[in-house]
Amino acid sequence: MNGEYRAFWVNEEGYVEVIDQTKLPFIEETIVLKTADDAIVAIKDMIVRGAGVIGNIGALGVYLAVKEEADIKAVVTKSKAIRESRPTAVNLMWAVDIMLEALLNAQDDLLEVARKTAIQICDEDSERSSKIASYGADIFEKIMQEKGKTSINVLTHCNAGWLAIVDDGSALAPIYELKRRGIDVHVWVDETRPRNQGANLTAWELTQDGVEHTIIPDNTGGYLMQQGMVDVCIVGADRVSANGDVANKIGTYLKALAANDNNIPFYVAIPEGTLDFDIRDGVKDIPIEMRSEDEVKYIRGLNKEGVVEELLITPKTSKAVNYGFDITPARLVTGLITEKGVCATNEEAINNMFKLNV
Ligand code: MRU
């Protein structure tokens, strides 16, 4: 990874082109989003996903709304619908709010203001990602030194690479940076049922970049930790409350518990847009997305003829439940790796880093 990968871009016609993440790793295809409604569908159906990119497409969706609508009131209405297209990743609300503020204060050409502001949000996320890469890699190198090792085993859950945040990702950013530093890194990739973002997307990203990795069933991490096969865990997040509680892909909490029980550092990598200063108790108040039970009951894969198929893996009439995210309490998180440095997971430390250190 050279810090140049993006899951989306603005094409020559001024529309937004995105990699269709529902098709990876089997088919590499892009889709063009021409309207704000296209952006909403792309976010809801997870054609694009991952907190950072959801926010970026939210911002670009507002730009598309300006392209379609002459009237600012209609743009505001569309922006509200974009803001509500997925509930947990606060980067979406953060980015749409920045767009609306810029538009409502704009003196000149609204379309140009929308285009520039959206692109600036994406470019700044890219800068944040590269700082997270560097701070995170420093921590990982320190962990190696303390253990007297020349290589490191990292465990991650879901996908928090460049498909989720431009250009290096969040949780995968330090891993890409270690690779650039010539350090021997191996990643345990949780498959991340039910949608398999680990097995499908993280493994695809790491394969593209030649990072050594092994996909593991979601229940394997605890055993690996007990056997000394994991040096550090790192995940991204969809929302971090003011007190440091972390909402991330369902299953993250169990990994944090196992890491805590085995004295293994558990880091969460986030850019500023993932912080929610309005929520003080993440376990109680962060909204958790409920998705279709079909995502649990059906599995997608490539059949022996090379055709992508969806197969039912449960009795037809059994009920299933699909919470998209869980909350890892602040006490289980070793630190937040952010663009401003590494921060303890408590309100005072977060405030000092983000409110006083602007
Ligand atoms: O449902 P998804 O695939 O959008 O969930 C993504 C995650 O949980 C990521 O770990 C999170 O967004 C952090 S990556 C910026």
Side-chain angles (χ1 to χ4, degrees):
M1 235 301 299
N2 308 314
E4 287 167 3
Y5 290 173
R6 293 205 178 191
F8 62 88
W9 51 91
V10 177
N11 71 15
E12 279 171 8
E13 288 82 47
Y15 295 121
V16 180
E17 196 157 345
V18 303
I19 296 178
D20 183 349
Q21 298 193 33
T22 64
K23 302 243 168 79
L24 291 173
F26 311 116
I27 300 167
E28 294 176 23
E29 212 169 81
T30 62
I31 293 184
V32 177
L33 313 178
K34 294 193 167 174
T35 64
D37 287 343
D38 289 346
I40 291 172
V41 170
I43 294 170
K44 278 195 169 146
D45 291 353
M46 294 177 65
I47 290 164
V48 292
R49 31 69 48 209
V53 168
I54 291 174
N56 297 158
I57 298 301
L60 288 162
V62 175
Y63 152 74
L64 291 174
V66 177
K67 233 168 140 54
E68 289 171 78
E69 306 282 357
D71 174 23
I72 184 73
K73 276 195 191 145
V75 171
V76 172
T77 306
K78 284 256 150 98
S79 301
K80 283 192 177 144
I82 294 172
R83 211 177 177 280
E84 284 163 14
S85 51
R86 281 189 80 187
T88 304
V90 76
N91 303 57
L92 176 60
M93 297 82 192
W94 170 82
V96 170
D97 291 348
I98 294 175
M99 291 297 291
L100 283 176
E101 199 186 329
L103 288 173
L104 294 170
N105 290 316
Q107 309 292 338
D108 49 348
D109 184 3
L110 279 193
L111 186 60
E112 190 49 16
V113 171
R115 196 188 63 80
K116 269 197 185 151
T117 311
I119 287 176
Q120 189 180 340
I121 290 172
C122 304
D123 288 348
E124 286 177 3
D125 267 357
S126 167
E127 285 162 29
R128 293 180 184 107
S129 164
S130 80
K131 289 185 180 144
I132 289 169
S134 164
Y135 287 122
D138 290 349
I139 292 176
F140 287 10
E141 283 208 59
K142 197 161 163 249
I143 291 171
M144 284 168 58
Q145 278 159 13
E146 281 167 5
K147 288 185 152 186
K149 290 180 70 171
T150 53
S151 62
I152 188 160
N153 278 299
V154 183
L155 184 142
T156 193
H157 190 70
C158 196
N159 171 265
W162 63 263
L163 290 168
I165 286 209
V166 290
D167 281 298
D168 249 4
S170 52
L172 294 192
I175 291 164
Y176 289 130
E177 176 62 17
L178 281 188
K179 176 119 198 297
R180 288 192 286 263
R181 292 182 188 180
I183 288 163
D184 193 2
V185 54
H186 167 264
V187 187
W188 296 110
V189 178
D190 279 353
E191 61 176 348
T192 320
R193 282 281 292 145
R195 288 187 66 106
N196 288 320
Q197 288 95 326
N200 291 344
L201 306 178
T202 299
W204 179 79
E205 271 195 39
L206 296 176
T207 303
Q208 302 285 306
D209 206 49
V211 178
E212 207 196 320
H213 63 279
T214 309
I215 299 163
I216 48 174
D218 286 330
N219 301 324
T220 307
Y223 176 72
L224 297 182
M225 292 185 214
Q226 286 174 324
Q227 299 304 314
M229 293 162 82
V230 179
D231 297 305
V232 60
C233 299
I234 187 165
V235 296
D238 285 77
R239 194 183 295 228
V240 174
S241 57
N243 66 323
D245 293 337
V246 171
N248 191 49
K249 183 53 53 195
I250 192 82
T252 301
Y253 172 43
L254 292 178
K255 294 301 135 66
L257 281 172
N260 187 262
D261 193 43
N262 289 282
N263 255 327
I264 291 166
F266 187 94
Y267 283 99
V268 177
I270 54 155
E272 180 183 0
T274 305
L275 284 166
D276 186 342
F277 290 102
D278 294 333
I279 291 185
R280 299 220 136 56
D281 180 342
V283 178
K284 219 170 82 209
D285 292 330
I286 294 180
I288 298 296
E289 178 177 33
M290 292 293 288
R291 294 192 62 88
S292 158
E293 65 170 2
D294 282 355
E295 292 182 354
V296 180
K297 294 180 68 172
Y298 289 81
I299 197 148
R300 184 183 64 104
L302 201 64
N303 71 16
K304 286 191 176 141
E305 282 74 50
V307 178
V308 176
E309 267 186 351
E310 276 208 348
L311 294 174
L312 180 68
I313 56 166
T314 63
K316 234 183 185 158
T317 54
S318 291
K319 280 193 278 183
V321 71
N322 189 5
Y323 293 94
F325 301 91
D326 62 21
I327 310 293
T328 301
R331 69 188 152 80
L332 296 176
V333 179
T334 311
L336 300 171
I337 302 175
T338 78
E339 69 270 21
K340 290 185 191 279
V342 183
C343 181
T345 41
N346 63 67
E347 191 153 355
E348 196 187 349
I350 294 173
N351 276 341
N352 283 345
M353 186 160 279
F354 282 90
K355 289 202 168 154
L356 303 178
N357 182 12
V358 207

